[in-house]
Amino acid sequence: MSTPIRFFFRGAVHEAGSVAPTQTVLQHLREDLHCTGTKEGCAEGDCGACTVVVGSLEDGELKLKAVNSCIQFTPTLDGKALFTVEDLQLPDGALHPVQQALVECHGSQCGFCTPGFAMSLWAMYLKQEGKEPTRCQIDDALSGNLCRCTGYRPIIDAAKRMTALPPASFERAAVIEQLQALQREGGTVYSHAGQTFHAPRTLDELVAARAAHPQAVLLAGSTDVGLWVTKQMRELNDIIYLGHVAELKSVREADGFIEIGAGVSLEDAYAALNRHYPRELGEMWQRFASLPIRNAGTLGGNVANGSPIGDSMPWMIALGSQVVLRGPQGARTLPLEDFYLGYQVKDFRPGEFVQGVRVPLPRADVAFRTYKLAKRFDQDISAVCAAFAFTFDGDIVKEARIAFGGMAATPKRAAQAEQALVGRAWTEDALKQAMAALAADYAPLSDMRASSSYRMQAAQNLLRRFWFETRSENPLPADALNAFAAVRV
């Protein structure tokens, strides 16, 4: 039987029983609920005009995340809470401090993007608990919101101003109580007009659903699959949603690895990784897409997607990370670099899916860095993404692991460059030979992001940057080579 979709909305439980499984949250808001404050701009999770805040129960606590409603499917809201710009107005009719600050600081001209900005600011307002946010926190919170006419200065001023205004309360306990009543015991199936949305609750239920529906689309954060519908106009029949499987949301340390379930969001995954690799992954964390995309997308989904320019894979391959696959025959683990067989071809056996990844914990003898080159700091796809993990014995390169994204059909190691370095002193002469060897490892394409020649020169120069930071004599600090270090405070 088809299970209706239930979520907490505008102070009550809302039931959506006749929507297409691929109807977006934005469409449901505007077309069915007539809540038109939330706007549609790009329909691909880039502009932020559609930003809403979704609340879910995690370990009994309410977790609130700003996400793009234009690419989230309505059935993913089951058992959650949805907040839109209409929720900001206070009971006495007064403006919320977020709204009042935008008014006082002249943070809106045409106003089209303003509701999305307001919701991103509201999510940060609740997180700050009355403390004024730093400029870096403001930039990160607004990284998924684009403004074409107001300019960012007055909006940033409003972000600082909002915590100085008389506070507005938010009844977390009441929302938690409502969500507790909405939680279901087992997996659910929602069907409409020939489309079926499966939402298993356990790993065993997921394995069974995958075996029963081998052609079904696996849906995690919808940051890629959502675009199949909104941009490619694809018709999806069976969908298996991973977002309710608790076993896929764990992060733990075991046997020298950080084990991250495939359902852990990119934001939570990078937060956990950053505790171990703050210098190496801090900038990548900030620059990976935008906060709403990181809140929705998952590290497991990024790995399973296998994009040639996916920013997570190069550094994970360089570190020697592993992918855990699960299927009817159980789980198996293989090196991440062996998972990618060709462009969009992965080593999946029938019925298998990504259960999680295992990232090695830091070692004192390994020098590790990862770098991203893109046209913008935030919310941009890499032209080149580089990662280097070298093991040294004194000044001798004992092991070199070099991986790039954006240089080949898959994220790929540079075998020739590695071979040119192993067993040699980490000198400029060795560096130059390895830089030359990169031309034998890759034949990058030209596209709208970068030309082939630019990509090759950039890859070689990133290897030189790594040498500057890790050479034995007078290594340069990272901030001496980072154009953003002075402004990201």
Side-chain angles (χ1 to χ4, degrees):
M1 293 180 62
S2 180
T3 305
I5 303 153
R6 300 177 304 167
F7 57 93
F8 182 71
F9 178 68
R10 304 300 303 276
V13 174
H14 171 68
E15 185 172 299
S18 59
V19 300
T22 53
Q23 184 195 54
T24 67
V25 173
L26 177 63
Q27 290 169 332
H28 189 56
L29 281 171
R30 295 182 61 84
E31 298 171 11
D32 298 338
L33 302 180
H34 307 295
C35 292
T36 55
T38 308
K39 307 302 182 186
E40 180 179 53
C42 65
E44 59 185 33
D46 272 345
C47 75
C50 69
T51 305
V52 298
V53 172
V54 172
S56 59
L57 283 180
E58 297 188 17
D59 298 323
E61 298 293 327
L62 177 64
K63 194 158 188 178
L64 297 165
K65 296 181 178 181
V67 300
N68 302 109
S69 64
C70 69
I71 53 175
Q72 293 297 313
F73 297 153
T74 302
T76 64
L77 292 176
D78 190 60
K80 301 177 183 178
L82 175 64
F83 300 95
T84 68
V85 70
E86 286 89 354
D87 291 291
L88 294 195
Q89 190 169 18
L90 302 180
D92 60 0
L95 295 179
H96 189 278
V98 167
Q99 298 168 309
Q100 187 63 40
L102 285 166
V103 171
E104 293 181 7
C105 296
H106 307 286
S108 178
Q109 285 190 21
C110 84
F112 188 85
C113 68
T114 306
F117 272 98
M119 294 311 294
S120 290
L121 289 173
W122 184 65
M124 182 173 64
Y125 180 87
L126 296 177
K127 186 176 181 180
Q128 290 299 116
E129 297 181 333
K131 294 178 290 187
E132 181 179 324
T134 66
R135 174 59 187 271
C136 187
Q137 289 171 324
I138 295 170
D139 288 350
D140 290 342
L142 299 181
S143 60
N145 297 89
L146 301 182
C147 178
R148 295 171 177 83
C149 60
T150 300
Y152 291 93
R153 184 196 55 76
I155 300 172
I156 292 169
D157 289 345
K160 296 177 180 178
R161 171 69 175 153
M162 64 185 186
T163 54
L165 295 172
S169 63
F170 176 70
E171 300 298 330
R172 288 178 176 268
V175 178
I176 291 174
E177 183 179 356
Q178 291 282 353
L179 294 189
Q180 288 173 336
L182 287 176
Q183 301 312 298
R184 304 181 191 273
E185 291 295 327
T188 60
V189 176
Y190 172 77
S191 298
H192 177 79
Q195 291 180 304
T196 304
F197 187 94
H198 305 264
R201 288 306 200 269
T202 68
L203 198 55
D204 288 341
E205 288 179 353
L206 174 56
V207 171
R210 186 58 168 163
H213 306 280
Q215 303 304 316
V217 172
L218 295 181
L219 179 71
S222 198
T223 55
D224 185 41
V225 174
L227 274 67
W228 297 0
V229 174
T230 63
K231 292 299 181 182
Q232 300 176 14
M233 308 302 172
R234 287 170 59 175
E235 292 287 339
L236 306 183
N237 294 321
D238 285 322
I239 298 172
I240 300 175
Y241 179 53
L242 282 62
H244 292 315
V245 181
E247 293 104 316
L248 297 183
K249 294 186 176 183
S250 66
V251 178
R252 69 188 189 106
E253 296 174 27
D255 303 323
F257 288 88
I258 309 163
E259 299 183 346
I260 301 174
V264 176
S265 72
L266 284 159
E267 180 68 7
D268 290 344
Y270 271 94
L273 291 160
N274 192 66
R275 288 193 285 271
H276 298 281
Y277 293 103
R279 177 181 179 182
E280 298 86 352
L281 291 178
E283 183 181 316
M284 182 62 72
W285 179 15
Q286 287 183 316
R287 299 189 63 193
F288 195 112
S290 65
L291 181 58
I293 291 296
R294 295 197 304 269
N295 281 339
T298 66
L299 185 60
N302 199 222
V303 168
N305 178 287
S307 168
I309 48 177
D311 288 342
S312 297
M313 282 74 81
W315 66 257
M316 285 199 289
I317 288 173
L319 282 177
S321 300
Q322 302 170 347
V323 59
V324 181
L325 305 175
R326 180 67 177 263
Q329 307 304 317
R332 66 184 177 106
T333 302
L334 70 157
L336 182 58
E337 62 199 270
D338 296 339
F339 180 53
Y340 302 111
L341 304 179
Y343 179 71
Q344 293 295 300
V345 180
K346 278 83 68 173
D347 186 13
F348 279 124
R349 295 174 183 171
E352 281 189 334
F353 54 87
V354 174
Q355 179 177 320
V357 295
R358 305 177 78 229
V359 178
L361 287 163
R363 286 171 29 202
D365 61 340
V366 176
F368 164 54
R369 299 287 191 280
T370 186
Y371 310 111
K372 172 173 179 167
L373 291 182
K375 294 180 179 179
R376 298 192 304 264
F377 184 91
D378 295 303
Q379 199 181 9
D380 202 4
I381 297 173
S382 293
V384 177
C385 187
F388 310 100
F390 285 20
T391 303
F392 292 101
D393 183 0
D395 195 35
I396 304 299
V397 180
K398 188 176 179 181
E399 182 183 15
R401 295 180 64 91
I402 300 172
F404 282 93
M407 296 287 287
T410 66
K412 179 187 171 186
R413 285 178 65 179
Q416 300 292 327
E418 293 174 356
Q419 187 176 354
L421 290 169
V422 174
R424 299 188 59 185
W426 188 218
T427 64
E428 190 166 9
D429 285 341
L431 165 71
K432 289 178 179 178
Q433 290 193 27
M435 290 172 64
L438 285 174
D441 284 310
Y442 303 105
L445 297 175
S446 295
D447 59 18
M448 67 181 67
R449 296 182 187 93
S451 66
S452 174
S453 60
Y454 172 86
R455 282 189 163 104
M456 181 55 66
Q457 184 175 351
Q460 292 169 332
N461 288 343
L462 288 172
L463 180 56
R464 180 179 288 276
R465 173 176 172 176
F466 178 66
W467 177 75
F468 276 127
E469 291 187 26
T470 57
R471 63 189 180 183
S472 58
E473 294 184 9
N474 190 31
L476 295 179
D479 57 6
L481 298 164
N482 187 341
F484 301 109
V487 298
R488 301 293 289 182
V489 294

